[in-house]
Amino acid sequence: MTAEAEPSLPRFQQGARPQRLLTTLLGDYWFARREHIPSAALVQLMAEFGITAAGARAAIQRLAQRGFLVSAKNGRETAYAVTPRSREALDQHVQYIFAPPASDSWDGTWTIVAYSVPEEEKAARRTFREGLRAAHFGYLYDALWIRPGHHVEAAQHLGEATGITQLTVFSAAEVPGAAEERMVETAFELGPVRDAYTAFIKRWEPGGAAPAADGANAQGALLVRTRLMSEWRALVGIDPQLPRQLLGKDWPGTRAYECCAALYDSLGPEAEARFRRIIAANDPNLAGLVNHHTFANWASLVTTN
């Protein structure tokens, strides 16, 4: 990709997009590191995507206010590091982004969640529902949620955290085939997810609508790879992560995953080189710490102890 092609790339300038951009960049090339990066380097990184210095500083400040970044002073210069996070949270994030979106390990059982919340506790009900959806439960009927597999503890912990006391959770339920298909479509709304995966494939497979990156152009590799990961993160965020047995043979998620993995991994070395160059221009001592990871080696990022 040449410099003239840059206007076709995303500009990440509305709402929370600059913040999402920076978290993507740090996750891709500064994973699990605690060293502080000069704010000037972060501003320069975001300038690669057309974000103004003022917009970049605002995004950095918001991420610091949210607790994602922590600042440190070095003379008159401010630097930022990603706040220490539990290893469990990091492992879950890595698996969420990089693991194949459909599993073959399902044993055919379901976890069922039923609850009752008094009318005056609407906020608790809303928080509980949002937590269930984030945990890949599907909404079947009023106050009845489901998820394939054994997830009783996750639902119970969520209930405790949100103060839901009238809660029943059980697993090992089995559903007949035809009823199961209707239940899955109702609870998980797979149509929009299927369409999103299909659109992703059309955009990113060779010959698609997304801009290609010249392998010799490190800047282009960083731009395209970051856009690709940003879109993939959003896509897996709406995927209920169902077992393959419930999705059918024509489910486009696997093809989208393979497409994303091949392109993301191939652009890694050149994109890392561009990231490192920007860091080195601001603090040469940090340049050697820059590293990229891939779909091919994602499992090595997850702790085993």
Side-chain angles (χ1 to χ4, degrees):
M1 186 179 71
T2 63
E4 289 74 12
E6 289 179 24
S8 67
L9 290 159
R11 296 185 64 82
F12 292 97
Q13 291 189 15
Q14 298 178 353
R17 290 183 181 178
Q19 297 174 58
R20 189 179 307 120
L21 165 64
L22 186 53
T23 60
T24 299
L25 286 167
L26 293 174
D28 283 350
Y29 307 100
W30 205 249
F31 179 77
R33 302 221 64 91
R34 298 186 180 182
E35 293 83 359
H36 288 69
I37 298 177
S39 59
L42 299 178
V43 170
Q44 188 176 346
L45 280 167
M46 299 176 76
E48 298 280 288
F49 298 83
I51 294 177
T52 65
R57 293 191 187 98
I60 294 168
Q61 289 297 322
R62 291 191 184 103
L63 287 174
Q65 292 168 2
R66 289 169 50 191
F68 180 83
L69 295 177
V70 60
S71 64
K73 282 286 189 179
N74 183 12
R76 301 176 65 179
E77 185 178 66
T78 302
Y80 290 87
V82 178
T83 53
R85 300 191 172 212
S86 73
R87 192 66 237 192
E88 180 181 1
L90 279 176
D91 289 351
Q92 290 176 349
H93 177 74
V94 168
Q95 293 183 61
Y96 171 73
I97 296 296
F98 291 97
S103 169
D104 293 317
S105 61
W106 184 48
D107 62 2
T109 61
W110 291 84
T111 297
I112 313 295
V113 178
Y115 62 93
S116 178
V117 181
E119 186 63 25
E120 61 270 19
E121 298 180 13
K122 291 182 179 179
R125 181 195 298 120
R126 181 173 60 252
T127 301
F128 186 58
R129 287 176 174 174
E130 291 173 352
L132 286 172
R133 196 173 298 281
H136 303 303
F137 281 85
Y139 172 64
L140 189 58
Y141 305 118
D142 290 342
L144 185 64
W145 293 68
I146 60 173
R147 181 182 174 185
H150 299 271
H151 306 285
V152 172
E153 289 187 3
Q156 289 176 334
H157 289 163
L158 181 60
E160 293 171 0
T162 53
I164 305 298
T165 57
Q166 299 182 54
L167 173 67
T168 300
V169 185
F170 57 92
S171 64
E174 295 186 13
V175 182
E180 189 171 70
E181 291 181 13
R182 292 192 299 270
M183 187 174 72
V184 168
E185 284 292 340
T186 299
F188 296 99
E189 300 180 348
L190 293 181
V193 182
R194 183 183 292 106
D195 293 344
Y197 272 129
T198 300
F200 183 91
I201 292 167
K202 291 180 179 179
R203 186 159 53 250
W204 287 105
E205 276 193 337
D214 180 352
N217 186 331
Q219 182 184 31
L222 179 64
L223 292 171
V224 173
R225 193 173 192 256
T226 304
R227 171 179 173 177
L228 174 68
M229 178 49 65
S230 181
E231 289 191 20
W232 182 251
R233 285 176 61 183
L235 185 52
V236 297
I238 66 171
D239 188 333
Q241 306 287 313
L242 296 177
R244 198 181 309 277
Q245 298 96 307
L246 295 173
L247 296 171
K249 295 181 179 179
D250 62 343
W251 181 249
T254 299
R255 181 175 168 187
Y257 175 84
E258 294 170 350
C259 167
C260 181
L263 182 55
Y264 180 85
D265 289 7
S266 69
L267 295 173
E270 291 297 333
E272 178 190 312
R274 182 63 178 181
F275 191 102
R276 180 182 294 107
R277 184 177 302 173
I278 293 171
I279 297 297
N282 292 272
D283 188 338
N285 294 324
L286 295 177
L289 303 178
V290 176
N291 192 21
H292 77 280
H293 45 257
T294 64
F295 280 80
N297 74 355
W298 73 268
S300 67
L301 303 176
V302 179
T303 55
T304 56
N305 53 6

